[in-house]
Structures are given as structure tokens and as C-alpha cells.
Amino acid sequence: MDRTPKTVGTVWGLLVLNTLGSTGAETIVPLPRSLIQMVTMGALVAAFALALALNARLRIRAVAFLFLLTLLLVPSVLSSADPESGFGALFRCARLALFVGTLWLLSRWWDGGLTFVRHHIRMYFVVLASVAAGALVSPGAAMPDLYGGRLVGALWPLTPPQIGQYAAVIIGLSVLLVLGRRTDRRGAAVVIVPSLVLLVLTHTRTATLGLLVGLALAIGSLTLTSAAARRFFSWAVLCAAVAAVVFASALQAWFLRGQSEENFSNLTGRAKVWDALLAAPRTPGEKVFGMGLGDKSFDGLPIDNSWLAVYHEQGLTGVVLVAAVIVVLGGVALLRPPSLARACAIFLISYCALASYTEAGLGDASPYLLHLAVAASLLATPARAAPLATPEPPRRRAPRWARKSEVI
């Protein structure tokens, strides 16, 4: 396997920028949505061009994850080709195709190592640093009343669930790197502590539960082979039990976020949108292939469920393919022997699976697909090195007199 060029980190950063989105809170300096879309789409084009330059010979790896994503393009294109879907649907198909193509080009360097984990942490930490900078410059804009005082992006339009997701993912990966002794505690604390503060300020329940469940599963997979993981797991369970008893009322108030029990039970109105989406009439073709790629909304309201969003846009075919992605990655992770790479993959897969219930994104270019791509890179087996050709021994040149036949 070739050594991973440093430029691959730049490509990954451009993919992260592309998936940040263009909607969210009002920023300190107003940014036109058209400008944001131009920047994000330009980042994707630049990422593809740079990845193609790095992998000009088109050396790729046969990865089931990417094969399934490529198949997902089929229902996406078929449903988006309907004139009623509009030009925006075809544009989103082209974006998804370019996104998957870039991942194919990067698959050359997927070798089961932690290279892409480190790129993932660095890039999202830069995003969180911009959120923290916005909060310091303008606390009012960073925690507006429109979002109930929850932390948003004041420099780039980011919603609380986005910030919570990024914080939870890099916290979990950093904790696992510390347990695997692949980074020092001081360096990890620089990432974990401020990210944890931002996560708390977002009041994001999905990200918090995803972090806790994902870490529990990932660390549990290491307990048989790592004494540090066993100690951390034991202390974490003890501290969680004490906190649940001592801070029960405070934790309940944090999770409710001032909502009534009825509003909390229907998931902040999400259940009403889901019921309306499932009750909407559809033709057999729309049930199989969907309505075309859109903005993950129904009747102007966000769907906030990956499975229903995929069903709405890519039909039952898309649901089957996305489920296959989760099942294949999870199955491969379970079959791998215990290791740090396997634990990181389990964390990412379980986080995405849990978050898919209240967040959309598994069927389109999104941070969730980047998380799963990192998991796929961790589960890839290292390529076998080509055997070195044994050089032939140099032939000794015979002198000219020896080449002539002797006359007896």
C-alpha cells in the first residue's frame, strides 16, 4: 500500500466543507445562501479534481460500502429524472455522484489505519473552533432566542444538531485514541474538553445519546484485550450511576429543554411530519424509486429521519440499499478481531445508526456518509505488497579469444 500523501487531508477537508450545508442561524456577517452554495459546491469540485490528480492511474479498492453507494445513485437518478422533480433534484444527483466518485478515488489509501480518523478529528475541530470564535465575538448571535438559547454557528450558518454531531464524533474518536495509546492525554484534552463544552451548550439529545451509546459499544469491544479500556469502562459506569442519582433532576431538565412532556413524546413535532409523510398517496413507481432528491423536507417541514427521508426521495429501493450499508459495515466490524481500528469503526457505525432516527442524511452527501466512510477505511484490510522481483545475477562477459572455436 502506498504511503498516504498529506494532500489527502486537504481533500478530506474540502469534503467536510461541502457537507456543512447552507442553512442555519443568522450569522454575524450576513452570508447570501447563493454564495455559501457556491463555496460548498466549489469545494466538492476541487476535492474531486485534487483526488483525481493524486490518483491519476485510477487505482481503487473494491469496497462494498462504496459499491452500495454507487447503486444508490440508480434510484436517485431514476426518480430525479421526472420533470416534476425539477432541476434541483438532478443537480443533487450530480453532487452525490461527484461525492461518491471522490470517495472511490480516496479508497486507494484505505488500509485499516488511523489516517482518516486523524483527518476527521482535525477538520471537524477546525469547524468547532469557528463556532467557539463566533460565540466569543457575539454571544447573542451564537445563542439566539430563535433556537431557545442553544448554541449555533455565528460565523458559518450551523444548527445546534450539526454542532452537537461534530462535537460528539470527535470526542468519541479522541477518547478511543487515548485508550489505544495513539495520542497523549494532553493533546486529547485540547480536543475533548472544549468540544464537550460546545456539546453541552447545543442541548442536542441525539448527539449526546449517540456519543454515550457509541462509546459504550466501542469500549466494550476493547475490554477483552485492553486493561485501560476495562478500567475506563468500569469508572464510566460508576460515574454514570452516581450522576444519574445525584443530578437526576438537572439531567431531566437538560433533556426536556423546557418542553412539555407531550411535545417531548412526539419528538418536538417530528412524529406529526412522519405520519403525514407515510399517509401521503404515492404511485407504485414513487414507492419503489421515490420522489427525487430534495432538501429532506415534506410540505415545507424537515423530515428529520434518515429512513423516511430516503423512502420519500429514493423509495423502498433506497431504504434497502442504505440498510445494506449499515448491515454490511456492522457485520464486517463484528467479524474483525478486537483492535483500536475496529472500536473506532463500531463507534461511528453505531452513532450513525442511532442518529438516523432523528436526523436525515444517510441517503445523500452528508457528514453521516463521511463518518461511515471513515469506518469503511478502518475496516479495510491492508493491501498485500507486491513481491519484489529477484534480479538476475550479472552475466560474466567471456573474452573474445574464448568465443572462437579452437582448431585442433
Side-chain angles (χ1 to χ4, degrees):
M1 177 61 65
D2 298 337
R3 184 177 180 180
T4 305
K6 293 183 179 180
T7 315
V8 168
T10 304
V11 177
W12 200 256
L14 292 171
L15 291 178
V16 169
L17 177 58
N18 173 254
T19 58
L20 292 182
S22 58
T23 59
E26 294 183 1
T27 55
I28 299 174
V29 179
L31 299 174
R33 187 177 180 184
S34 58
L35 175 62
I36 297 175
Q37 291 176 334
M38 188 183 301
V39 171
T40 54
M41 193 59 197
L44 179 58
V45 173
F48 180 80
L50 194 55
L52 186 60
L54 290 172
N55 192 2
R57 296 184 178 180
L58 301 181
R59 294 171 58 186
I60 59 176
R61 302 200 61 178
V63 183
F65 165 72
L66 294 178
F67 178 71
L68 291 171
L69 287 188
T70 305
L71 288 181
L72 188 61
L73 287 170
V74 176
S76 303
V77 173
L78 290 177
S79 58
S80 300
D82 189 342
E84 295 182 359
S85 301
F87 175 75
L90 288 176
F91 179 81
R92 290 183 177 91
C93 285
R95 174 176 178 252
L96 178 59
L98 209 57
F99 183 86
V100 175
T102 305
L103 293 180
W104 271 115
L105 293 171
L106 293 180
S107 66
R108 170 181 178 178
W109 295 284
W110 292 5
D111 58 356
L114 299 173
T115 301
F116 285 89
V117 171
R118 299 186 187 279
H119 289 324
H120 213 54
I121 293 174
R122 292 190 191 107
M123 299 310 167
Y124 279 116
F125 185 72
V126 171
V127 175
L128 293 181
S130 71
V131 174
L136 292 176
V137 173
S138 179
M143 290 183 283
D145 295 333
L146 179 63
Y147 285 87
R150 300 168 65 190
L151 182 65
V152 300
L155 298 180
W156 186 276
L158 297 174
T159 61
Q162 284 180 281
I163 300 171
Q165 175 197 161
Y166 306 154
V169 167
I170 67 173
I171 289 171
L173 292 177
S174 298
V175 169
L176 293 174
L177 289 182
V178 171
L179 293 178
R181 297 180 180 179
R182 296 301 181 90
T183 187
D184 60 283
R185 296 183 179 181
R186 182 177 300 177
V190 173
V191 174
I192 295 174
V193 174
S195 300
L196 190 59
V197 173
L198 296 182
L199 175 60
V200 172
L201 292 177
T202 61
H203 281 224
T204 307
R205 294 175 292 221
T206 300
T208 305
L209 289 175
L211 171 63
L212 296 177
V213 173
L215 272 182
L217 295 175
I219 296 174
S221 70
L222 289 173
T223 52
L224 296 178
T225 57
S226 172
R230 289 192 293 269
R231 289 194 299 269
F232 184 88
F233 190 80
S234 301
W235 280 105
V237 171
L238 179 61
C239 293
V242 173
V245 174
V246 177
F247 304 104
S249 59
L251 291 174
Q252 182 180 5
W254 188 85
F255 268 90
L256 287 176
R257 296 197 310 238
Q259 299 173 342
S260 63
E261 293 185 3
E262 180 182 359
N263 197 17
F264 179 77
S265 62
N266 63 26
L267 299 174
T268 320
R270 290 185 176 96
K272 297 179 180 179
V273 180
W274 299 346
D275 293 339
L277 186 149
L278 292 173
R282 298 173 187 271
T283 64
E286 290 171 346
K287 289 182 179 180
V288 176
F289 297 114
M291 308 283 289
L293 291 185
D295 58 356
K296 312 300 176 288
S297 66
F298 179 78
D299 283 345
L301 298 174
I303 298 175
D304 286 340
N305 181 289
S306 284
W307 305 102
L308 292 179
V310 171
Y311 170 68
H312 178 62
E313 297 183 354
Q314 292 140 310
L316 294 174
T317 306
V319 172
V320 171
L321 290 173
V322 171
V325 168
I326 300 295
V327 171
V328 168
L329 287 176
V332 173
L334 292 177
L335 294 176
R336 289 283 189 270
S339 66
L340 177 59
R342 176 190 184 227
C344 291
I346 289 175
F347 168 75
L348 292 170
I349 297 166
S350 57
Y351 180 91
C352 292
L354 190 147
S356 66
Y357 185 66
T358 58
E359 296 290 338
L362 286 182
D364 205 347
S366 69
Y368 289 106
L369 288 190
L370 284 182
H371 303 333
L372 294 179
V374 174
S377 74
L378 291 166
L379 297 174
T381 55
R384 296 179 179 179
L388 298 176
T390 305
E392 296 182 359
R395 294 183 178 180
R396 297 183 62 183
R397 189 172 182 178
R400 184 176 299 177
W401 61 267
R403 299 178 201 171
K404 299 179 181 180
S405 56
E406 298 181 359
V407 179
I408 302 178

